[in-house]
Amino acid sequence: MVPLGPLPRACWTPLISLLLVCCLLPPGAQGQAFRLRVEPQNPVVPAGGSLLVNCSTDCPQPELISLETSLFKEEAGEGLGWRAYWLSNVTSDSEIFCSGICNGSQMLDSSDITVYQFPEHVELAPLPPWNPVGKNLTLRCRVAGGAPRAKLSVLLLRGEEVLSQQLAVEEVTTTVLASRNDHGANFSCRWELDLRSQGLGLFQNSSVPRQLRTFVLPVTPPHLFVPRLLEVGTSQAVTCTLDGLFPASEAQVQLALGDQMLNATVKRYGDMLTATATATATAELEGAQEIVCNVTLGGESQETQENLTIYSFWGPVLNLSQPTVRQGTIVNVTCAAGARVQVTLDGGPAAGPGQLALLQLNATERDDRRSFFCSAALEVDGVVLHKNRSVQLRVLYGPKIDPAKCPQHLMWKEKTTQILQCQAQGNPDPQLQCLHEGSMAQVPIGIPFRVRLNYSGTYYCRAASSQGVHSVTVVMNVQERNPITITIVIAVLTVLGFMAAIPASIYAFGVHKRRDIYHVNQGNAGFPLTSKTAEEPLGEPPS
C-alpha cells in the first residue's frame, strides 16, 4: 500500500530517473513501434472508491513496467507484457503514469482519474411567512459539496417549472414577482450531476419544498357599523366588513368594546369578510367608549374605530298613593326619574331635571279607570331620548241604574218576543235583577224572551254590590191578543174589497157597449126609456 499524499523522497528517485532517461533518449529510440497503454483511460471513480489499473504493452520483451501515482496502490498481478495495480480510497482527481522499457527505449502513457461525489446538502433558503401580491420575492438555493463541479447543475423550481438553472456554482439566486397564483405553491431547488458521457447516467436530488403564501390586504380600513347610543342593560349588534381581501379565509378579525373583546361570528363571501358581534352595555362602561375592528392578514393589519356612548336612563317611575280608592279619597300621583332626566306628568308643566312631578286629585266615579301618563326626557350626546309610563286608577263607587238605559214603563203585546234593556254601573260591577213585586218571579235582562199575559205588573230592578244598593221600578203592561176581533176585522176587509170590485166590473162592461144618454119621462111612468144619439144635446132634468 502506498500512502495518499506527496510521495516520499525514496519514491520520487526512480520517477525522476525515468523522466531523465526519457528526455536523454534520441527521439527515434523512444518506443519505436511499440506502445505502453494505461487502462482504463480517464476513468470516473466515486469518492473513496477503488480502481484496477493495468499497464500493458505489445513489446515482446518489456522491462521495468511500473505505475507511478500519488494514490494508494497495490500490485494485483503481472504477466508477459502487463502489470496490474489496485488503487484504493480515491478521494480526489489525479493523473497516473505507466512506464516501461522496450529494446532499450522508454515507453510512457498516462490517464486522468476523475472523482465524482454527490452534494452533501441542498437547501432552499426559508421563505417569508407571507409575501404581498405584487412584491418581488428572492429565492436562494445553496448546494454544499459535489464533484465534478463542471458536471453539476443547480436548479430553482416552482413546482416542476424551472425558474433558474446554473452550472458549476454553489448558490443560485433568482427573483419572482409574487401573484395570487403563487399562494400555496411549492418552491424547491435541485442539483443534477450529469455523468452520462462517462456512461454513468444522470444523478439528481431535491431540497425539501417550501410553500409560499401570498396575500392582499386593502389599504382602506374596514367599515364598522355601530349604534351611536346604547343604554345600560341593553345589547345591540355591531358589524365590521372589509372587501378586497385575499385569501379571505386566512384573515383574522377582532372586535372590542373598550378593553372588552367581543365574541364575533365571521362570514366570508369571496374576497369579502363580515364579522358580527353583540355589544352589551354595563354600568362599568357608562360614558364615551370606542368600538374597534381589527383585520389581520399576512402579518399586517387594518383597523378602524367608532365612538359609542353608553348611558343610563332610569325611569320614569309613576306611582299612585293608592291604586284603588273609594270615591272622595285624595289621591297623589307622582313621577320621578334619574338625576338628569326631566319628567312631565299628564300634560302639565315639566319639572326640573331630577325633580319629582306631583298631581293631586279628589277621586270621583268619573276617575274610575282613568289613566295617568308620565313622559321622561334625557339628552345624551346631543340626542333627546324619551320614555313613557302609564298607570290606571280604580275608584270604588256604589251601583247606579241609569233611567235612560232602563225604561220604567213598558207596553208589550202578548206572545211577542221582547228584550228587557236595563243596565247598571258601579265599581265593582253590580249584580242586577228585576223581580215581580208579587210572585218575585225574575224577568231575563238583556236576552230575548216570549212575553206572556201574566207578565203584566210592577217589577223592582235592583243593582247590588259591596258598595251599596240601587233600585228602580218598572211597570210592564201586557195586552191580550183577541182572536174574535181579528176574525171580524178580516171579514169586514173582505166585504169592503168585494164591494169595491162591483163598480169596477160595471164600468168595464159599459166600455164595450155603445155610449147613449137616457132620459126618464117622469110624466108618464108607463113609457119606456128612449134612447138619444150622442149628437143630441143633454136636456135639463125636470123641474
Side-chain angles (χ1 to χ4, degrees):
M1 298 290 290
V2 178
L4 179 65
L7 293 175
R9 187 181 302 271
C11 296
W12 277 106
T13 303
L15 179 60
I16 295 172
S17 301
L18 179 64
L19 293 175
L20 290 174
V21 170
C22 179
C23 293
L24 294 175
L25 287 173
Q30 295 184 15
Q32 298 180 356
F34 302 108
R35 293 182 55 215
L36 182 65
R37 297 181 297 276
V38 180
E39 295 177 340
Q41 275 292 315
N42 303 324
V44 179
V45 182
S50 300
L51 178 66
L52 179 64
V53 178
N54 185 33
C55 297
S56 62
T57 180
D58 54 359
C59 178
Q61 293 180 343
E63 299 177 26
L64 301 176
I65 296 176
S66 65
L67 175 69
E68 300 300 332
T69 179
S70 61
L71 303 174
F72 289 104
K73 69 178 180 178
E74 184 180 7
E75 287 191 19
E78 64 177 330
L80 180 64
W82 66 271
R83 179 172 289 178
Y85 296 89
W86 271 110
L87 303 181
S88 60
N89 195 22
V90 181
T91 57
S92 61
D93 296 347
S94 64
E95 185 178 12
I96 57 175
F97 298 89
C98 278
S99 64
I101 298 176
C102 179
N103 298 327
S105 299
Q106 179 71 37
M107 297 182 296
L108 286 176
D109 195 15
S110 66
S111 177
D112 292 323
I113 299 177
T114 301
V115 174
Y116 74 89
Q117 182 177 10
F118 297 151
E120 301 171 3
H121 182 69
V122 56
E123 181 183 18
L124 178 66
L127 302 180
W130 290 92
N131 198 86
V133 170
K135 183 178 179 180
N136 286 334
L137 172 69
T138 300
L139 302 172
R140 288 185 175 86
C141 179
R142 293 186 60 85
V143 176
R149 281 288 175 182
K151 300 289 185 177
L152 183 65
S153 298
V154 181
L155 298 83
L156 273 171
L157 304 106
R158 175 170 48 200
E160 292 300 320
E161 176 190 2
V162 177
L163 301 176
S164 177
Q165 181 175 3
Q166 297 185 36
L167 187 66
V169 294
E170 293 186 354
E171 180 176 296
V172 175
T173 302
T174 190
T175 300
V176 297
L177 186 65
S179 67
R180 287 194 177 204
N181 294 332
D182 290 328
H183 180 71
N186 288 322
F187 290 81
S188 63
C189 58
R190 184 173 71 207
W191 58 259
E192 293 182 352
L193 187 60
D194 190 358
L195 301 178
R196 288 175 291 186
S197 61
Q198 285 77 25
L200 296 179
L202 177 68
F203 302 93
Q204 61 183 20
N205 194 17
S206 298
S207 67
V208 175
R210 297 188 186 275
Q211 191 177 69
L212 178 64
R213 294 194 295 175
T214 61
F215 72 100
V216 176
L217 182 65
V219 296
T220 57
H223 297 285
L224 185 57
F225 303 94
V226 303
R228 181 178 174 183
L229 305 174
L230 192 60
E231 185 178 359
V232 170
T234 64
S235 299
Q236 198 162 338
V238 297
T239 303
C240 179
T241 63
L242 183 59
D243 199 1
L245 290 164
F246 174 80
S249 59
E250 299 283 348
Q252 302 297 319
V253 187
Q254 287 185 337
L255 279 168
L257 171 58
D259 296 331
Q260 179 186 91
M261 298 300 299
L262 302 180
N263 186 17
T265 300
V266 181
K267 294 182 179 180
R268 298 169 176 86
Y269 309 92
D271 289 349
M272 186 175 73
L273 174 148
T274 300
T276 304
T278 300
T280 301
T282 61
E284 294 78 11
L285 297 173
E286 185 171 357
Q289 295 290 344
E290 262 190 355
I291 290 186
V292 179
C293 177
N294 182 283
V295 179
T296 301
L297 178 62
E300 300 180 7
S301 63
Q302 287 285 5
E303 185 174 282
T304 188
Q305 306 89 21
E306 290 291 342
N307 294 327
L308 168 68
T309 300
I310 296 178
Y311 66 94
S312 295
F313 195 166
W314 178 76
V317 178
L318 182 59
N319 286 322
L320 298 173
S321 55
Q322 296 181 64
T324 303
V325 298
R326 294 179 181 274
Q327 59 180 346
T329 304
I330 301 299
V331 178
N332 292 322
V333 185
T334 59
C335 183
R340 298 183 296 115
V341 182
Q342 192 173 34
V343 295
T344 303
L345 180 58
D346 241 26
Q355 293 183 357
L356 180 76
L358 172 65
L359 177 65
Q360 192 176 72
L361 72 150
N362 188 352
T364 66
E365 63 179 81
R366 291 185 178 181
D367 295 319
D368 185 39
R369 300 183 185 275
R370 177 179 172 182
S371 293
F372 297 91
F373 296 90
C374 181
S375 176
L378 173 65
E379 182 178 351
V380 180
D381 196 20
V383 179
V384 179
L385 306 173
H386 295 273
K387 282 188 177 182
N388 299 311
R389 293 288 185 275
S390 65
V391 67
Q392 191 179 71
L393 175 66
R394 296 306 308 269
V395 179
L396 301 175
Y397 61 95
K400 180 182 292 186
I401 300 175
D402 186 357
K405 297 181 180 180
C406 191
Q408 279 83 55
H409 298 282
L410 300 171
M411 184 174 290
W412 288 337
K413 295 291 185 179
E414 179 192 14
K415 297 182 181 180
T416 59
T417 300
Q418 304 290 342
I419 298 176
L420 176 58
Q421 300 287 1
C422 195
Q423 297 180 9
Q425 296 178 340
N427 187 21
D429 293 333
Q431 292 184 347
L432 179 61
Q433 290 181 328
C434 289
L435 304 175
H436 193 276
E437 67 175 344
S439 65
M440 301 302 291
Q442 184 174 347
V443 178
I445 301 174
I447 59 175
F449 67 94
R450 188 80 168 170
V451 178
R452 298 180 181 178
L453 189 61
N454 61 353
Y455 282 8
S456 293
T458 301
Y459 290 82
Y460 294 103
C461 291
R462 181 176 181 271
S465 73
S466 61
Q467 300 301 308
V469 178
H470 184 231
S471 299
V472 297
T473 301
V474 176
V475 177
M476 187 183 304
N477 185 7
V478 181
Q479 295 181 351
E480 182 181 5
R481 298 181 65 180
N482 193 341
I484 298 176
T485 303
I486 295 173
T487 303
I488 294 173
V489 171
I490 295 173
V492 170
L493 293 175
T494 302
V495 172
L496 291 175
F498 179 75
M499 292 179 68
I502 292 175
S505 300
I506 293 173
Y507 173 78
F509 176 78
V511 168
H512 294 84
K513 303 296 183 179
R514 190 181 64 162
R515 184 176 179 184
D516 291 330
I517 299 175
Y518 298 90
H519 295 275
V520 178
N521 191 345
Q522 295 180 357
N524 188 358
F527 290 148
L529 297 174
T530 61
S531 173
K532 289 191 177 181
T533 63
E535 288 78 10
E536 296 178 353
L538 293 177
E540 295 291 334
S543 57

